[in-house]
Structure formats: structure tokens, C-alpha cells
Amino acid sequence: MLSKPARWWRAAAAVAAGGLPCLAFPAPALWWFAYVALVPWMLLLRSAPTGRRAALEGWLGGAGFILAVHHWLLPSLHVFLLPLAALLGLLWIPWALLVRELLGGDGAWGRAGAALVLVPAAWLLSELARSWQGLGGPWGLLGASQWQVPPVLRLASVGGVWLVSLLVAAVNCAVVLLIVAPAARVPAVAGLTGCAVLTGVVWLWVPRPEVSGGLRVAVVQPGLVADGPDSADRRFAAGERLTRGLAGQHPDLVVWGESSVGADLTARPDLARRLAALSAEVGAPLLVNVDARRPPAAEAGTTGGTGTTATTGTAGGSGAPGIYKSAVLVGPEGPTGARYDKMRLVPFGEYIPARALLGWATSVGKAAGEDRVPGASPVVMDLPGRPDVRLGPLVCFESAFPDMSRHLAREGAGLLIAQSATSSFQHSWAPAQHASLAALRAAESGRPMVHATLTGISAVYGPSGERLGSALPTSASTAALYEVPLARGTTLYVRFGDWPVGAALAVLAVYCAAAGVRSFRAGRPAPEPTAPRARTARG
């Protein structure tokens, strides 16, 4: 039985240990630390005296992880971040119980081998559960910490970020076994060797994207604009000035960041004319992002053109009145008709889940005063002047969702584009974390990706996830031109999807079924011995 000081000490240690993995992500970006970051937390869990205590420390550690990785949300959510972290922390309870069950023994070979498979699978289960958009989406997945490691990015092309998370969690599990279970050193070393061999085989034998042609893409980053009633107009003017400086450099495409246009182009034809003039001046179409209330007549007037959805062949929009965030392609003649309406909105930032219940969040932070309207479907756009290139636009934190970029790649997108704005978190870890996600999406899909922001960090990545040129820091107000190699072919991840998730769920289901059978058999009363039949003596 733990004393009261020991209980409090362990609780504080669980919160701190859960927060340690945040150091592997940008901005610290200590990618190598990810391979041991879970070890202190797992050592604490395996020593929990009861399953109830392990569940509590798994919950507290999960809350600590969410607070550490998302601490930059405090200016927007304020105190609301605490109950949110407490809610999401519950997702780590199954993993914590499994850590105690499989790593808390004497390190028998069978148990150690099971731990090397089941503990990473349970970690992936927690990542999968919190990847639901309503719980904040897949931000801070353990595998995302490896965005700058080329051999691991090659793994992402095979099984997505999920396979990388499994690998990193398995290495942590093997390290714990080496520390606490001398009898399990052979399976632990075998597990580490297996991870290294898998990475090496993938690096040597999985085909790299086949480069075929290139594209000159300009990214326009206007920089910080002071808040005020005319801030949208001043931001537009800054983007206009920087874009004009690209004249004579012959870009094939110019990309502006999220919310770079603050009025619907149907309601403000003067802005549409200015953008068309810019396109003619630089000799390339502009992909801008409109963050505005759409007039009812605008929906019918902007469908069709060169935009095609990935499924139905018409530009995607729900048709409901309200505020949309839309990627809009503009050429020398004006808007081309290609438009993508953002589908997955940021909880609390762009809508409030269950507003009737949680609407009070607007009084304690910068939560959305009005819900934005989600788009209806993904869109793949034809690039004017380049019939061999199609664009797959995403907006803001949609770049965190592997399935969205995979879907666009399957539908023929040759260039992925994420338009973002993290100006609310300008001096935090958020801009670097967000920019790093594009490297993973590029590696998974085998398609180059442009991450264009209003205020930095803007970055461009090649089809293997390698960075192209220099990133534009948060201090920059500039336009930069990038030579982007295009690629053809299909990665294994695009072809087979989230198979590591299915494999993890399958092994956990088998384990739970086996545990259920053992429990059932242990609970059945032993059969009574059958007595021999008595004989009657006859005289």
C-alpha cells in the first residue's frame, strides 16, 4: 500500500514523464530522444502496485503529454485546455494497463516477446482514437517526430506515420526490457535488431519516387499584419506587393497562405480583378485562400470550371450559408472555377463541438464566435498551362491527416498544397510543428508538398519528404521561388493505406480474446470427481 506522499510523488512523476516526448517534436526537434522518451513513463507504470494505480498514472501521463505537445494553445483556450487534456488523457489507460501487465513481471521470454508486439500496438490505439477530428485530430503522433530522418521517412512511404509510431514505441519497449529484465535481454536485443533490419531493408529495397519533370512554385508569405478593422485589406495588399515582385521569374504557380483573402470574390469583384491582373503580370495562376461569408448566389456561380472533386467531378461545397475557408484558383481571366472548401475544421478554433453545451469557451479564450461551414468533398484541380499537373489542396491542420493527402494522391494529384496560418501562435512551437507535418505527407504519398503560410514557417518538400530550398521563418515577409521535382508511381502506403493500424487492432483483439478465454476457464468451478458405482453384495 502506497503512503500518501508516495501517491502524490508518483502522480507528479506520471504527468512529467508523459510530457517528456514533446522534446522530440519541433521546436526542440530532438528526434533521437523519441526512442527513449517513453522509458521513464513505462518504468513508472510497470512498478504500479495495482491495476487501478497504473490506470491513474496512464491517465495523468496522457494528460501531461497533451499539455506539453499542445501548450501553445493556452493563449486561445486558456483554462479550457486543462479539461481537454484530462479528457484525452483517458485514451492512454489501456496502454498503461498493458505496460503493467506485460512489463511488470520477471521478463520471461514469452511475456517479453508479447510486450514488444502488444505494447506498441496499444500505443497506436491511443493515437488512432485521438486522431478523430472531434478530439483534435492526429497532431503530435509519436511517428511525426521523425519528419527529418530520411530512412524513417522511407518507412512512412510503406505504412504511413502509423508504422513509424509502432517502430518508435517498440524501441522504447525494448529499452525498458534491457533495463529491468536481464532474463529478457535476448528478445529485447532481437526486437531492436528487427527494427533496425526493417528500416534498413525498406531503405535499400523500397523504390524511391521516380522523378518526372518539375514545377516552379512561388510561396508568398506577407508576414505579421497588426489587427484592426482593415487588417484583411492590408494583408491582401502585402501579398499583392510581394507577388508583383515575382514578375519575370516565370513561376508556374503562386501560392498564398490561409485566409489571405478576407472577402468572397463574388461579393468583391474588385479583389477578383486585382488578382487576375496579378496573375497576368507574373504569368502564372494564383492559389489564394478566401476566409469569408459566402453570398447565397456565390455557390452556383463558382462550381465547374477546371476544378474537379475527387469523387463527383464538380467543385466541392456544401451549399449552406455561412463562413467558408476556401482554396480558390485565379488566372488572368479571374477565378477559374476551381475551389476547395475546407472539410475538417479545427475544434474550438473554427467551430465549437456541442456549442449549446460548450459555448462558454468563447468567454475564456479565442474560441470561434461562429461555426464555419465545412466543405462537402475533396477537390483535385487542373493547373492551367500544365495539363500534366493536378493540384491537391488542403487547408490548415488538414495536413495532419494522412488519409486526406493519400486520397488526393490516389485521385491523381501531382502536387499537394497546404495553406496555413499560425499567426495566433507566432512565437510558439506551433509553426515549426505544423511545417514538419508536410514532410511526412510528402513521404507517405510520394508527392511533393508546399506548406504556404501567412506568417511562417513556410516550407516545401520533395516527393521523398526531403526539404527543398530554405524554409521561410516567422520573421520573414517575402516571396520565394522553389524548383519542385514532380514524381510518378505509387507508394505502398497510397496503395494499401493504414494497414499498420489494422494489424495493431488485430493483435490486440487476439490478445483480448485469449485473455477472455483464460479468465473464463479460471472462473469455472472444477468438475467434481466421479465416484465409482457402488456394488451390492449378494449373499
Side-chain angles (χ1 to χ4, degrees), residues 199-529:
T199 305
V201 168
V202 169
W203 174 256
L204 293 173
W205 296 104
V206 170
R208 290 167 171 78
E210 183 181 351
V211 175
S212 176
L215 201 67
R216 293 169 62 85
V217 180
V219 174
V220 175
Q221 181 177 296
L224 280 174
V225 173
D227 290 336
D230 63 340
S231 59
D233 291 334
R234 286 185 283 115
R235 183 179 298 112
F236 185 96
E240 191 177 32
R241 172 179 53 81
L242 294 170
T243 302
R244 192 168 286 118
L246 295 168
Q249 298 186 44
H250 309 293
D252 295 304
L253 175 68
V254 179
V255 183
W256 287 19
E258 179 187 11
S259 304
S260 49
V261 179
D264 185 85
L265 296 180
T266 304
R268 290 285 304 274
D270 59 314
L271 296 182
R273 286 193 295 271
R274 288 165 67 181
L275 290 171
L278 268 181
S279 174
E281 187 172 349
V282 301
L286 315 178
L287 186 69
V288 300
N289 190 274
V290 177
D291 183 0
R293 189 176 303 279
R294 184 174 302 163
E299 184 67 27
T302 56
T303 56
T306 59
T308 59
T309 65
T311 54
T312 64
T314 57
S318 68
I323 302 174
Y324 290 77
K325 282 193 176 180
S326 306
V328 178
L329 194 63
V330 181
E333 304 299 322
T336 66
R339 186 194 70 239
Y340 165 65
D341 298 329
K342 182 179 183 182
M343 298 172 60
R344 295 183 182 173
L345 304 176
V346 180
F348 299 97
E350 294 169 337
Y351 80 103
I352 297 182
R355 182 176 283 272
L357 179 64
L358 302 176
W360 58 270
T362 59
S363 64
V364 297
K366 299 178 182 178
E370 178 182 349
D371 292 350
R372 281 170 169 77
V373 182
S377 58
V379 172
V380 176
M381 301 177 178
D382 297 326
L383 180 60
R386 289 294 302 267
D388 59 323
V389 180
R390 306 183 75 198
L391 311 177
L394 300 167
V395 181
C396 191
F397 95 138
E398 289 182 330
S399 65
F401 292 86
D403 66 298
M404 296 195 73
S405 52
R406 174 176 175 259
H407 184 84
L408 292 170
R410 286 175 64 89
E411 296 299 327
L415 175 67
L416 302 175
I417 300 172
Q419 297 173 300
S420 176
T422 51
S423 52
S424 299
F425 316 104
Q426 188 72 358
H427 303 294
S428 72
W429 294 359
Q433 286 183 13
H434 201 176
S436 70
L437 295 174
L440 283 161
R441 303 293 87 84
E444 289 169 343
S445 63
R447 298 291 180 265
M449 186 161 188
V450 174
H451 179 78
T453 73
L454 291 180
T455 60
I457 297 172
S458 297
V460 181
Y461 299 92
S464 294
E466 74 281 13
R467 178 176 285 173
L468 303 175
S470 299
L472 304 183
T474 55
S475 59
S477 174
T478 187
L481 188 65
Y482 296 87
E483 299 284 348
V484 180
L486 300 175
R488 59 188 178 188
T490 304
T491 65
L492 293 175
Y493 176 68
V494 169
R495 190 178 305 168
F496 298 111
D498 301 329
W499 63 266
V501 174
L505 293 176
V507 298
L508 288 172
V510 170
Y511 172 77
C512 291
V517 170
R518 288 196 303 269
S519 177
F520 176 76
R521 288 178 175 175
R524 285 171 51 182
E528 295 184 5

Side-chain angles (χ1 to χ4, degrees), residues 35 103 109 111-118 120 155 163 166-178 183-200:
Y35 294 94
L103 296 177
W109 280 31
R111 183 180 292 268
L116 288 169
V117 174
L118 292 168
L155 278 176
L163 181 58
L166 281 174
L167 177 84
V168 175
V171 171
N172 277 270
C173 186
V175 172
V176 170
L177 287 171
L178 288 174
R185 284 177 180 169
V186 171
V189 170
L192 292 173
T193 304
C195 290
V197 169
L198 172 64
T199 305

Side-chain angles (χ1 to χ4, degrees), residues 58-92 126 129-139 345-354 358 360-361 364 367 397 425:
W59 173 44
L60 292 173
F65 178 85
I66 295 297
L67 286 172
V69 173
H70 296 83
H71 70 274
W72 42 269
L73 284 173
L74 279 169
S76 293
L77 294 183
H78 292 290
V79 69
F80 196 78
L81 183 59
L82 296 177
L84 183 63
L87 172 65
L88 294 178
L90 295 171
L91 299 175
W92 275 270
S126 68
R130 70 185 178 90
S131 294
W132 178 50
Q133 177 198 344
L135 293 179
W139 194 288
L345 304 176
V346 180
F348 299 97
E350 294 169 337
Y351 80 103
I352 297 182
L358 302 176
W360 58 270
V364 297
F397 95 138
F425 316 104

